[in-house]
């Protein structure tokens, strides 16, 4: 009998946490393999854990093996914080947390500086945390929601023939009514003021399965574009409602968390033409790193999830997130001692001095998957390259060139919001001189 | 005007589905006095079984016909739901005869958690498809009366018709059959029903079987619309304000309550939502139900209970 994914996960529960030995670098893994968001969360978690296994299979980080332990939180903020508290001091102390939840990120942003553990939030979290002068422990690597929203506006402007053509247009934001879904609103309002388009805000309550009224409003208002900021079942429900109300899927653009296989495979042909942002990568079954995982992890019977999902969009997102954490440790070792276990503070230094050029990425097996990332003490994002991919009824295909967020728009917003945060929390921002220490 | 009518129709069709699930609550409450918190979990469990067997059977036995695979999966799922009903009676309810309502409620909460976890462990936690051939594209009617016509979602319409048929059948079953009357007798008083020879345990198995069938039909309809995944368990709980409004003991109450809640939440989201931030339909349904309770504490059609002191 073919065992389901969860059954396999349950059967392997004993192996979910690698045996802990002395001198191992501990990676806590916050996951949601159950609940409303499990179809998306489990693929990310499988990619994350598989990459850690791959690093161990290749001998560790300069010989330092990785230990990891999963904690299931069901995408609930309170349980996520509970997992953080449970794991932060285990096995000699956590290296880095990656909660895959903007709500949990908001909650942990105050805790990370006290516990001195970095937070990597690749493609999610607080947009203003790009400013490393204030958010010293947050690393929204590769992109924030302001980047995503900015690129979407750039893309539709390009389609219309220029930003001036956006005047009088109507753009609807259908968003998950949570900190995650609300993040792009500030940027879109700013862009709406700049270009004269009308922004319709349509919140959808958790988990997002009831959208009839939302799409009736879209049918009535007929926006020129719909931006979808959903997660989990909300995305496929939105596409089904769009089909049921006759809204063209070609006019729909999802954020990178609304552009993976679980979002469209159940809708199939009904989602044909739907577009979503790709946080650099898409589905990458042919990447070298994926082939390495299949050979060194799955062929040895140590794969975390189903083999057929290896290389899927969210699997790759988890894998890249793990790689960024591992490379932070590797970079820290260059300064603090190769072959040693790094503390949270040392890893933070590594993360804000990341310099993953194309040569390094290619060597790691990420050729064609992502572009270089270079962080600094003041810039904790590292890069903002984004592409659009489109569902053709059976698979995702890239349909745009590379975009980057417009720093002239985003930078002032980041500085303003982070200054406000610093004032609220009585934080003295780091100066460039302090960064050299 | 056309938009208002569209919203109204959308609300009525959603309401019919709420009625169907609410009926699952009412059935069990009428028959056993148990507020069955596990109805949502039953919907999820049934839909998961249906979706996975429809997928597994063709792979195991080389069945090529989608219709045949669906029929076989449906029959297997019915059998599974009957076994589940039997086990619930044997392992949980049998030991709780004549216990406080709160005790029985807590027992159903336990059943809910067990079914959710067990269902996902056996059948998986991914999104699964139930393809029973429901049309997905909309149809426009009255185009010559209203500009742009009135949009009807064919899938919702068919779902509402199926739900209405099942609701009618269950109403007839309750009112016109001997078993139905026995169910109502048990609901009134366990001991009195037993004293006149009504087999309590068998009645409970029957009512949980019926609730299982209702859950399966609701699971197929919603699973076909939304995909089969964990959220189905929470969708089914959308019927809670319906039973609050309609009264826990009334089949017509579940029907009318479902329609009022369906229409109320859609109209509130569309017309009130934009002025107070949107995303209000879920909690607005409860507000609506609570307002009704201020005037009729027993619900629209619930029995008014008078205890002599």
């Amino acid at each position: 009998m073919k065992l389901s994914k969860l059954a396999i996960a349950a059967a392997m529960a004993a192996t979910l946490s690698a045996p802990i030995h002395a001198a191992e670098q501990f990676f806590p893994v916050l996951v949601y393999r159950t609940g409303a968001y499990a179809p998306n969360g489990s693929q990310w978690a499988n990619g994350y854990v598989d990459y850690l296994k791959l690093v161990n299979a290749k001998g560790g980080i300069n010989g330092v093996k990785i230990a990891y332990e999963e904690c299931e939180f069901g995408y609930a903020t309170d349980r996520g914080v509970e997992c953080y508290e449970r794991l932060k001091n285990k096995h000699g102390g956590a290296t880095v947390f990656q909660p895959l939840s903007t709500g949990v990120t908001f909650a942990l942003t105050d805790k990370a500086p006290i516990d001195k553990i970095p937070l990597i939030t690749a493609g999610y979290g607080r947009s203003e945390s790009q400013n490393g002068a204030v958010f010293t422990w947050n690393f929204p690597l590769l992109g924030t929601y302001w980047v995503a929203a900015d690129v979407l506006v750039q893309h539709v402007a390009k389609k219309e023939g220029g930003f001036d053509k956006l005047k009088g247009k109507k753009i609807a934001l259908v968003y998950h009514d949570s900190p995650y879904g609300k993040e792009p609103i500030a940027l879109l309002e700013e862009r709406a003021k700049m270009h004269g388009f009308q922004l319709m805000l349509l919140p959808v309550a958790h988990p997002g399965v009831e959208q009839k009224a939302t799409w009736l409003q879209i049918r009535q208002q007929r926006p020129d574009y719909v931006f979808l900021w959903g997660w989990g079942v909300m995305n496929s429900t939105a596409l089904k409602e769009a089909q049921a109300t006759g809204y063209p899927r070609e006019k729909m653009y999802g954020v990178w968390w609304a552009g993976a296989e679980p979002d469209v495979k159940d809708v199939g042909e009904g989602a044909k033409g739907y577009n979503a942002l790709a946080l650099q990568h898409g589905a990458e079954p042919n990447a070298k790193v994926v082939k390495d995982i299949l050979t060194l992890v799955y062929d040895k019977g140590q794969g975390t999830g189903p083999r057929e999902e290896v290389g899927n969009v969210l699997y790759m997102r988890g894998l890249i997130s793990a790689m960024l954490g591992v490379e932070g440790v590797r970079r820290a070792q260059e300064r603090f001692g190769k072959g040693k276990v790094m503390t949270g503070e040392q890893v933070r230094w590594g993360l804000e001095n990341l310099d993953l050029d194309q040569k390094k990425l290619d060597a790691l097996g990420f050729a064609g998957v992502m572009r270089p990332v270079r962080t600094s003490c003041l810039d904790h994002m590292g890069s903002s390259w984004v592409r659009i991919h489109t569902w053709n009824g059976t698979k995702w295909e890239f349909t745009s060139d590379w975009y980057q967020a417009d720093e002239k728009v985003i930078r002032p917003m980041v500085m303003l919001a982070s200054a406000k945060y610093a004032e609220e929390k009585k934080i003295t921002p780091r100066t460039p001189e302090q960064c050299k220490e | 005007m056309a938009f208002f009518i569209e919203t109204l129709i959308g609300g009525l069709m959603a309401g019919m589905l709420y009625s169907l699930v609410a009926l699952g609550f009412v059935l069990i409450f009428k028959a056993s006095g148990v507020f069955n918190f596990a109805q949502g979990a039953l919907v999820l469990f049934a839909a998961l079984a249906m979706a996975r067997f429809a997928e597994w059977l063709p792979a195991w036995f080389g069945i090529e016909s989608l219709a045949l695979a669906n029929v076989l999966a449906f029959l297997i799922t019915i059998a599974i739901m009957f076994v589940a009903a039997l086990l619930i009676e044997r392992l949980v309810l049998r030991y709780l005869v004549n216990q406080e309502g709160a005790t029985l409620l807590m027992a159903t909460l336990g059943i809910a958690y067990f079914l959710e976890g067990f269902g996902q462990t056996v059948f998986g936690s991914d999104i699964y498809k139930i393809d029973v051939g429901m049309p997905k594209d909309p149809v426009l009617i009255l185009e010559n009366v209203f500009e742009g016509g009135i949009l009807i979602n064919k899938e919702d319409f068919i779902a509402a018709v199926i739900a209405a048929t099942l609701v009618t059948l269950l109403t007839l079953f309750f009112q016109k059959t001997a078993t139905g009357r026995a169910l109502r007798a048990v609901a009134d008083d366990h001991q009195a029903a037993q004293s006149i020879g009504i087999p309590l345990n068998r009645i409970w198995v029957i009512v949980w079987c019926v609730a299982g069938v209702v859950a399966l039909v609701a699971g197929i309809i919603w699973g076909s619309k939304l995909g089969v995944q964990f959220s189905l368990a929470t969708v089914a709980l959308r019927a809670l304000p319906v039973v609050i409004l309609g009264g826990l003991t009334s089949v017509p109450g579940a029907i009318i309550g479902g329609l009022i809640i369906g229409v109320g939440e859609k109209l509130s989201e569309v017309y009130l939502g934009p002025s107070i931030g949107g995303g209000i339909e879920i909690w607005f349904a409860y507000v609506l139900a609570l307002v009704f309770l201020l005037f009729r504490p027993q619900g629209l059609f619930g029995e008014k209970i008078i205890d002599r002191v």
Side-chain angles (χ1 to χ4, degrees):
Chain A
M1 182 178 149
K2 185 185 164 190
L3 281 177
S4 66
K5 199 167 62 180
L6 202 76
I8 294 168
M12 295 180 65
T15 61
L16 280 178
S17 58
I20 312 287
H21 303 294
E24 286 188 333
Q25 194 75 45
F26 175 51
F27 277 70
V29 192
L30 268 58
V31 298
Y32 32 104
R33 295 183 181 280
T34 61
Y37 302 92
N40 301 54
S42 58
Q43 291 204 27
W44 185 94
N46 292 341
Y48 193 92
V49 173
D50 277 348
Y51 190 79
L52 301 181
K53 288 178 180 173
L54 177 70
V55 173
N56 277 349
K58 287 183 170 178
I61 311 167
N62 294 317
V64 178
K65 289 287 180 89
I66 294 172
Y68 56 88
E69 184 174 329
E70 287 195 11
C71 185
E72 167 70 38
F73 74 102
Y75 198 61
T77 299
D78 55 339
R79 287 173 62 195
V81 174
E82 205 178 303
C83 279
Y84 170 88
E85 293 293 346
R86 197 182 304 156
L87 295 179
K88 69 181 184 187
N89 293 323
K90 271 194 157 180
H91 315 306
T95 304
V96 63
F97 273 94
Q98 305 208 32
L100 190 60
S101 156
T102 296
V104 176
T105 304
F106 270 67
L108 297 187
T109 295
D110 291 341
K111 289 175 175 286
I114 299 163
D115 297 322
K116 300 191 185 306
I117 305 169
L119 287 177
I120 296 179
T121 57
Y124 58 97
R126 304 182 73 115
S127 298
E128 67 269 38
S129 66
Q130 175 189 350
N131 183 2
V134 174
F135 294 89
T136 46
W137 295 88
N138 294 56
F139 292 86
L141 297 169
L142 305 184
T144 64
Y145 293 132
W146 288 352
V147 168
D150 193 67
V151 167
L152 283 180
V153 175
Q154 285 184 49
H155 183 71
V156 297
K158 193 174 171 187
K159 280 184 86 76
E160 291 291 332
F163 281 108
D164 55 319
K165 302 284 193 304
L166 288 180
K167 193 172 175 62
K169 297 280 181 202
K170 208 182 274 181
I171 295 176
L173 175 70
V174 177
Y175 65 97
H176 194 271
D177 198 5
S178 64
Y180 153 60
K182 289 173 185 169
E183 266 296 295
I185 293 174
L187 187 288
L188 290 172
E189 284 175 341
E190 182 67 24
R191 279 287 196 182
K193 265 191 279 174
M194 286 169 69
H195 310 299
F197 63 81
Q198 188 191 332
L199 180 65
M200 276 174 72
L201 297 176
L202 298 168
V204 174
H206 156 85
V209 287
E210 193 45 70
Q211 297 182 40
K212 170 79 55 204
T214 304
W215 287 88
L216 281 171
Q217 289 174 81
I218 286 174
R219 172 170 152 69
Q220 186 201 27
Q221 300 282 327
R222 282 278 145 193
D224 297 281
Y225 296 98
V226 169
F227 292 171
L228 178 62
W229 231 266
W231 184 223
V233 70
M234 177 182 157
N235 296 329
S236 53
T237 304
L239 286 163
K240 286 173 184 170
E241 289 292 353
Q243 187 181 10
T245 45
Y247 189 83
R249 265 66 79 206
E250 296 77 17
K251 300 266 184 181
M252 290 177 68
Y253 289 86
V255 66
W256 44 63
W257 299 111
E261 290 82 0
D263 306 319
V264 288
K265 72 172 185 187
D266 179 39
V267 195
E269 279 288 309
K272 195 172 172 181
Y274 165 65
N275 313 282
L277 294 174
L279 187 64
Q280 301 208 10
H281 65 90
E284 309 285 354
N286 300 315
K288 185 178 174 297
V289 64
V290 169
K291 287 175 180 160
D292 286 350
I293 283 178
L294 289 174
T295 313
L296 297 172
V297 180
Y298 279 78
D299 286 351
K300 293 186 175 163
Q302 292 168 356
T304 312
R307 190 182 178 100
E308 60 271 18
E309 287 179 2
V310 175
N312 278 1
V313 175
L314 289 170
Y315 181 95
M316 292 305 295
R317 189 83 37 85
L319 187 147
I320 288 170
S321 299
M323 180 273 283
L324 292 166
V326 168
E327 291 312 305
V329 174
R330 202 187 304 276
R331 183 78 179 98
Q333 284 187 359
E334 286 172 18
R335 178 174 174 185
F336 300 104
K338 273 192 181 176
K340 288 183 180 170
V341 173
M342 295 291 107
T343 64
E345 261 183 306
Q346 290 167 333
V347 175
R348 185 189 75 169
W349 183 90
L351 287 170
E352 61 186 19
N353 289 279
L354 264 187
D355 187 9
L356 292 172
D357 57 21
Q358 202 58 57
K359 203 174 146 194
K360 282 184 193 162
L361 288 170
D362 292 356
L364 289 167
F366 289 84
V369 175
M370 58 184 289
R371 290 194 157 187
V373 185
R374 187 173 189 181
T375 55
S376 69
C377 170
L378 300 179
D379 172 21
H380 278 196
M381 187 162 71
S383 90
S384 66
W385 291 105
V386 183
R387 284 184 279 184
I388 308 277
H389 59 176
T390 304
W391 181 250
N392 72 1
T394 50
K395 65 177 194 313
W396 289 101
E397 285 176 337
F398 288 112
T399 49
S400 83
D401 291 333
W402 289 92
Y403 287 95
Q404 270 192 301
D406 187 345
E407 278 294 297
K408 288 199 291 294
V409 178
I410 289 190
R411 197 73 200 160
M413 290 180 65
V414 167
M415 297 314 285
L416 194 69
S418 54
K420 194 174 159 204
Y421 180 85
E423 195 185 329
E424 268 173 28
K425 303 286 176 184
K426 305 201 182 333
I427 295 169
T428 308
R430 287 188 293 179
T431 60
E433 286 69 36
Q434 286 172 311
C435 282
K436 287 173 191 160
E437 291 167 7
Chain B
M1 186 63 186
F3 180 62
F4 176 78
I5 295 171
E6 261 176 26
T7 311
L8 198 68
I9 292 172
L12 285 171
M13 289 192 292
M16 208 61 233
L17 290 179
Y18 296 158
S19 298
L20 180 60
V21 180
L23 210 59
F25 285 98
V26 171
L27 277 179
I28 289 185
F29 191 82
K30 270 176 85 77
S32 57
V34 178
F35 186 82
N36 177 25
F37 219 85
Q39 193 60 29
L42 280 175
V43 172
L44 171 66
F45 189 78
L48 275 172
M50 171 79 193
R52 295 321 302 274
F53 278 109
E55 185 186 327
W56 287 338
L57 290 173
W60 290 343
F61 303 110
I63 299 168
E64 287 181 5
S65 161
L66 177 68
L68 180 62
N70 277 333
V71 169
L72 290 174
F74 182 81
L75 293 174
I76 292 172
T77 308
I78 291 264
I80 289 174
M81 297 313 287
F82 284 4
V83 171
L86 197 68
L87 290 175
I88 288 169
E89 192 278 322
R90 283 281 161 84
L91 301 175
V92 184
L93 298 180
R94 181 168 286 197
Y95 306 101
L96 298 175
V97 176
N98 282 326
Q99 295 297 314
E100 288 291 323
T103 309
L104 292 162
L105 170 71
M106 295 311 284
T108 65
L109 258 178
I111 294 168
Y113 282 118
F114 174 76
L115 283 178
E116 284 172 10
F118 183 66
Q120 289 186 92
T121 303
V122 173
F123 300 116
S125 61
D126 217 332
I127 300 178
Y128 304 104
K129 198 172 178 174
I130 289 184
D131 184 3
V132 286
M134 293 275 238
K136 303 288 180 189
D137 291 316
V139 62
L140 286 170
I141 59 166
L142 301 176
E143 282 182 273
N144 47 357
V145 180
F146 300 106
E147 193 188 330
I150 289 176
L151 182 132
I152 302 282
N153 184 341
K154 280 192 268 185
E155 186 178 28
D156 283 353
F157 180 73
I158 292 170
V161 170
I162 294 170
T165 308
L166 195 63
V167 166
T168 310
L169 288 175
L170 288 168
T171 310
L172 290 174
F173 170 73
F174 249 94
Q175 305 295 338
K176 305 290 179 191
T177 67
T179 311
R181 281 194 290 273
L183 291 172
R184 284 155 59 199
V186 171
D188 277 348
D189 191 318
H190 292 176
Q191 282 176 320
Q194 275 181 312
S195 70
I196 58 163
I198 294 173
L200 192 59
N201 296 337
R202 191 164 66 86
I203 289 296
W204 275 3
V205 172
I206 290 172
V207 81
W208 277 82
C209 284
V210 175
V213 173
V214 171
L216 174 58
V217 175
I220 292 173
I221 293 172
W222 256 318
S224 167
K225 271 165 66 75
L226 304 171
V228 177
Q229 35 70 41
F230 182 81
S231 300
L232 282 189
T234 55
V235 170
L237 293 180
R238 302 287 301 279
L240 279 179
V242 175
V243 290
I244 296 171
L245 180 69
L248 268 167
T249 53
S250 166
V251 171
I255 302 165
I256 306 292
L259 296 177
I260 292 174
I261 292 290
V263 169
E265 64 180 25
K266 299 298 174 250
L267 289 177
S268 65
E269 182 67 51
V270 168
Y271 291 103
L272 279 180
S275 52
I276 54 173
I280 66 169
E281 62 183 301
I282 290 178
W283 59 261
F284 190 83
Y286 284 91
V287 172
L288 200 62
L290 291 172
V291 169
F292 265 90
L293 286 190
L294 282 178
F295 300 100
R296 281 190 66 83
Q298 69 274 32
L300 266 183
F301 298 94
E303 289 165 17
K304 199 167 188 175
I305 298 164
I306 301 167
D307 282 331
R308 290 182 193 282
V309 180

